[in-house]
Amino acid sequence: MKQCFRYSFFALVLLLTFITVSAQTNISGNKKAQKKLSEAIEMQRNYKPAEAINIAKQAEAIDPSYINVHLFLAEMYSNLKDYPKSIDSYKKAIALSPDFFPNALFFIGEMEQSSGLFSDARDHFSQFLLKKNISDAFRKNASDRIKACNFALFLMQHPIDYEITNLGDSINSEFDEYWPGITADDSLFVITRRIPKNAAIKEFYGNTQEDFYFSKRNKLGSWSKARNAFRPLNTPDNEGAQSISIDGKYLYFTACNRPGVYGQCDLYVSIRVGKSWSFPLNLGEPINSPSSEKQPSISPDGRTLYFASSRTGSKGKMDIYSTTLLDNGFWTEPINLGDSINTIGDESAPFIHSDNSTLYFTSDGLLGMGGKDLFFSRRCVDGKWGKAQNMGYPLNTIGNEEGMFINTTGDIAYFASDIDERKGRDIYSFTLDSAIRPNPVSYMRGKVIDANSKKVLGAAFLLTDLSNGNKIMQARSSDETGEFMITIPSNSAFALSIDKPGYCFHSENFSLQTFTDFSKPFLINILLHPLKLGAKIVLRNVFFETDSYVIKEESKIELDKAVEFLSNNPKLKIEVGGHTDDLGADTYNLTLSDNRARSVMDYLIIKTIDASRLTYKGYGEAFPFTANIDDRSRALNRRTEFTITGN
């Protein structure tokens, strides 16, 4: 658990008061040593730490048994974050008298914990708890730190195996790069880069600025030289902490202290139209508040935005929130992700993976190695977030880890680090350990087209988990180009429906549970048929028990979609057609298909569709969708169809 128990000036005042009072019991036998310590205290009060340390060391040399000098030096070094020297001074004081200043056991444990000396820290915290007259706050803090040390030691005893790779000079430069992001098809890479400002405007804007840079995947599979995105995305101010949508059409990002902002930092969005980006739009209320909103991450369906905020109601310094885009174009009031994610500490840098169910983030309030650690949480069946899990050592260290992106297939992670100080902050990648991977994801890309006119169409996409009916993703194809891209997770079977008023809805079935090559996407053009006599709708997600006309529970998702379709088009009349594969006798298949068609019609009637609009017929194996050559083709032939018989 990362608890910064820093006292700085205020702690030093308390310590100096203690030293003054306790001088009655720890008076150096050498008046020169006493005088030197007084001079050192005066130097610190005048904000001259280097001089204060130098004079205190003179007092230490005169009288090494002068405990107050060691305590003074320990706190001075601590405030300067020179932990090794602080630890050494505390050890000298404790060795002279462990009961003289019992809190020294806590403070040395704090320094050791910050230095990664978890076993030593745990021992000193345990010794501290044996002392009498400890305040409740100190006792709880020490107990929490023992738990944190034990957890850190456990992580170190069970390290994850990974090897990082610098992405090279196509992505990285002599300047600092961070906040990597890649589109679902692995074709576009976006980063934030800190660059020097133009000398002509330096005096107005400072020395450096953050800008967006883009790199494209070339034909050889490597990344092209990252190029400045320029205006309107980049300005003389800072732009950063971005999140690009899976199709590369939306860029959400953070900008601070701009004219018209709602708080210190606000969230913005820019839309790519052709090869150009729109002027960034402040997302406004209720997303932005008088506090700070930072580090957005857009879900793969573009419907949910995750971000860090210090807004009123947060549990700690920064909490992670989410907001949902409604059909009317407005965002809902942000909701706090709750106790599974947020603590009284600082949670930030959320990243929602393309599986739409695994969230990665940074926290200093959960048990970890020190500083800020990387964590992940998986969405439960009820939609709530599960208990956050630490991503392990040595990925997490006693320093700060922040900002991670994981590719669509879930096996490669990208992050920024200053591991090599000669290169500054660069983007690195590594193969993600299987225990901390998200669900593998593939994607489907193509266009929605009018089956007759071949005109491109904007249509609504809905991906539903057949096992529980949960809506996994909602998206739209472009009204201008008809293009779409949706991600498909591997952890279940899914029903995909594509819908546009005036057209027959289209359905697909995806089950990637045994899928192995997630690098190969589904490329498909969706042909939507206008509502007219003879048009057919194949219900690919209606299933029956084997050799039975009993409808399976998971079929109700598709059948309810059919009910909605018929309710929205009250003049339509349809025939429900049943089809089988070629296995079994012709007569048996004909009877089975007829009964299955009747079962579907009965379901529609029970759901209040007027029986006068419906007929049914079984066709057996007479009209196969494709040749019966294997299990997959036979599954396609076992189907239920709607045929429009009146409008």
Side-chain angles (χ1 to χ4, degrees), residues 323-360:
T323 177
T324 301
L325 183 64
L326 301 174
D327 291 338
N328 60 11
F330 290 94
W331 294 91
T332 61
E333 187 71 31
I335 60 172
N336 189 295
L337 294 197
D339 294 340
S340 296
I341 305 293
N342 294 314
T343 70
I344 60 173
D346 189 349
E347 280 71 45
S348 57
F351 164 67
I352 183 69
H353 184 256
S354 293
D355 67 359
N356 211 21
S357 62
T358 310
L359 182 74
Y360 296 83

Side-chain angles (χ1 to χ4, degrees), residues 8-9 12 16 39-52 72 76 79:
S8 64
F9 176 73
L12 190 60
L16 297 182
E39 291 176 4
I41 292 172
E42 187 62 28
M43 284 295 176
Q44 172 55 27
R45 285 172 173 162
N46 291 323
Y47 303 100
K48 296 179 179 180
E51 291 88 339
F72 178 83
M76 290 297 300
N79 290 328

Side-chain angles (χ1 to χ4, degrees), residues 70 148 155 197 223 226 231 331 344 395 425 463 497 504 534:
H70 299 306
L155 293 180
K197 286 183 177 291
W223 293 107
R231 288 183 179 273
W331 294 91
I344 60 173
L395 179 58
R425 199 170 180 87
L463 189 69
S497 64
C504 300

